[in-house]
Amino acid sequence: MDFTFTEEQQAAVEAARAVFSDVAPDRAPSPALTPGAVAEDIDRQLWHELARTDLLGLTLSPDHGGAGLDPIALCLVLRESAKVLARVPLLESCAVAMAIERYGDRTLAAELLPRAGRGDLILTVGANGRSGHDPAELAVSARPHGAGDGACEGETEGSGGDSGWVLDGVQSAVPWARAADWIAVPAHTDGGSPVLALVPRTRDGVTLADQVSTNGERLAEVRLDAVRVEARELIDAAGCWEWLRSLLTTGTCALALGLGERVLAMTAEYTGKREQFGFPVATFQAVAVQAADRYIDLRAMEATLWQAAWRISTDAGGPLPAAGDVAVAKIWASDGVRRVVQTAQHLHGGFGADTDYPLHRYHAWAKQIELSLGPAAAHEEALGDLLAAHPLG
């Protein structure tokens, strides 16, 4: 593979660095000192700045006011955002917008996507199901309105008829749900087919119960009780939910990489200044070897991330489906980011636990990222299933 980025992708990185250069990791209260969520809302100032610099429309087509770039560009920007612990739904909103543009109704896309690119409308997605362990689409059922209750003649599963669909179920730990205008909800039909419903947060039958993440961010349990959605608001195209889930997982790997790189840089800076016996501790072999091991972790995380992002961006074939590359990337991201922050805490000594120093914030975010969309063990199991179904010659 050639990991050289295009001029447009590199320009996106430079624009992102300029925006995030003014963002401090301690912009919100410390999760270690705050009972409940650290803030009621997203970082609106940063969100508006991302919109002003056209980074929210980066991956939308020019028809919808975007730059027409690919998931690789989104991952490059996410990598920069994680270095400052940016409290914005950049991954969720952009990923859902891309799924709508790729698979959704054209008229609905024309209504929503230009507003999403301008930052006037926020999208999020429920990807954790009821418990975070079972497939998210199994937590919500979708049936044509009137099914089993005098459905219209000619109305069949998969069409929704003219009267739309009805959703019932729960999606837990939905990120930024209180701030979102629309929530993408994976669901299943009576035949077991996965679909993706686009639901306005304020629609009748939608209720939100507050939850708090490991890093102190405000999540929500989204409950749907006989929620009506129009036919155009439900995407039943084959592969839509699988593609969106893969994009979300790959974006999470980009967040892990950016966070890990920043933490290792903090560790190098600290150990280069901290002295024992008259020498910087960075010159001690035991310290240098541990830091080198974590550098190797980061390079493996980077290589597997770009492999997965490239497969999603190009729809390129391979010995395994793209889901295999995504699973490998998430295995490395989950295990790697955990090892990086643990080593950083060890090499910082007691200073790493000081709540006036930002390392403890990165540790909390790393744990959240590690478990988001499945820990390493879940993706190892998924990879094993893929290898069993697609034996390598």
Side-chain angles (χ1 to χ4, degrees):
M1 281 188 59
D2 182 1
F3 286 131
T4 303
F5 300 113
T6 66
E7 291 183 4
E8 292 81 5
Q9 291 166 346
Q10 292 171 345
V13 173
E14 293 304 317
R17 286 175 178 167
V19 171
F20 295 127
S21 64
D22 293 329
V23 179
D26 58 357
R27 204 146 152 170
S30 166
L33 303 176
T34 307
V38 298
E40 294 296 308
D41 197 9
I42 67 172
D43 187 336
R44 291 284 175 177
Q45 178 182 347
L46 176 57
W47 188 251
H48 294 319
E49 187 63 17
L50 289 169
R52 187 189 66 80
T53 53
D54 297 325
L55 288 173
L56 297 182
L58 192 69
T59 54
L60 296 178
S61 71
D63 292 341
H64 296 125
L69 299 188
D70 56 16
I72 295 175
L74 174 60
C75 288
L76 285 166
V77 175
L78 290 169
R79 180 186 189 178
E80 298 303 316
S81 75
K83 295 177 182 179
V84 297
L85 307 182
R87 299 183 51 261
V88 287
L90 181 61
L91 169 58
E92 294 81 9
S93 198
C94 290
V96 173
M98 292 178 71
I100 294 172
E101 183 168 49
R102 184 181 174 104
Y103 295 100
D105 179 84
R106 298 299 92 191
T107 59
L108 185 64
E111 291 175 18
L112 299 183
L113 299 188
R115 295 174 59 202
R118 295 193 302 268
D120 298 334
L121 180 142
I122 296 176
L123 306 167
T124 190
V125 55
N128 293 304
R130 184 180 293 272
S131 66
H133 299 290
D134 298 320
E137 65 272 20
L138 299 183
V140 176
S141 64
R143 69 181 190 278
H145 179 63
D149 186 30
C152 297
E153 182 178 354
E155 184 177 287
T156 60
E157 181 183 318
S159 69
D162 293 330
S163 52
W165 294 77
V166 179
L167 306 177
D168 288 283
V170 175
Q171 289 289 343
S172 183
V174 178
W176 320 105
R178 293 281 185 187
D181 300 289
W182 288 68
I183 303 172
V185 179
H188 68 279
T189 63
D190 289 343
S193 301
V195 295
L196 185 69
L198 304 169
V199 184
R201 175 176 51 82
T202 56
R203 179 146 303 171
D204 290 344
V206 177
T207 56
L208 275 61
D210 283 346
Q211 297 175 317
V212 180
S213 67
T214 303
N215 58 351
E217 295 302 330
R218 195 180 188 191
L219 308 177
E221 178 189 79
V222 177
R223 183 173 296 276
L224 303 106
D225 295 311
V227 174
R228 290 282 303 275
V229 294
E230 300 175 17
R232 68 174 188 154
E233 295 171 344
L234 187 135
I235 304 174
D236 59 0
C240 173
W241 168 236
E242 291 82 357
W243 185 87
L244 176 56
R245 181 174 54 198
S246 291
L247 178 57
L248 290 167
T249 305
T250 304
T252 303
C253 297
L255 294 173
L257 176 61
L259 186 149
E261 289 176 329
R262 178 62 190 129
V263 167
L264 189 61
M266 291 168 59
T267 304
E269 181 180 3
Y270 175 78
T271 56
K273 295 178 179 178
R274 175 75 167 89
E275 292 190 359
Q276 286 185 355
F277 312 112
F279 297 94
V281 296
T283 62
F284 298 168
Q285 187 177 38
V287 172
V289 167
Q290 291 183 70
D293 284 343
R294 301 295 78 82
Y295 177 82
I296 293 171
D297 277 335
L298 291 173
R299 297 290 69 79
M301 291 165 63
E302 183 176 20
T304 55
L305 163 65
W306 298 132
Q307 171 73 12
W310 173 72
R311 289 290 303 274
I312 293 174
S313 297
T314 62
D315 293 323
L320 290 178
D325 293 288
V326 174
V328 170
K330 189 56 165 70
I331 291 166
W332 272 104
S334 292
D335 283 344
V337 76
R338 184 188 69 250
R339 288 192 291 260
V340 168
V341 294
Q342 287 177 342
T343 297
Q345 290 282 11
H346 176 62
L347 297 182
H348 275 81
F351 193 58
D354 189 337
T355 55
D356 290 329
Y357 186 67
L359 182 59
H360 75 286
R361 296 173 181 267
Y362 285 91
H363 203 148
W365 277 71
K367 179 56 66 175
Q368 177 70 21
I369 291 171
E370 175 193 347
L371 302 178
S372 292
L373 295 157
H379 290 275
E380 288 167 353
E381 182 177 352
L383 181 60
D385 291 340
L386 285 171
L387 289 170
H390 303 82
L392 304 180

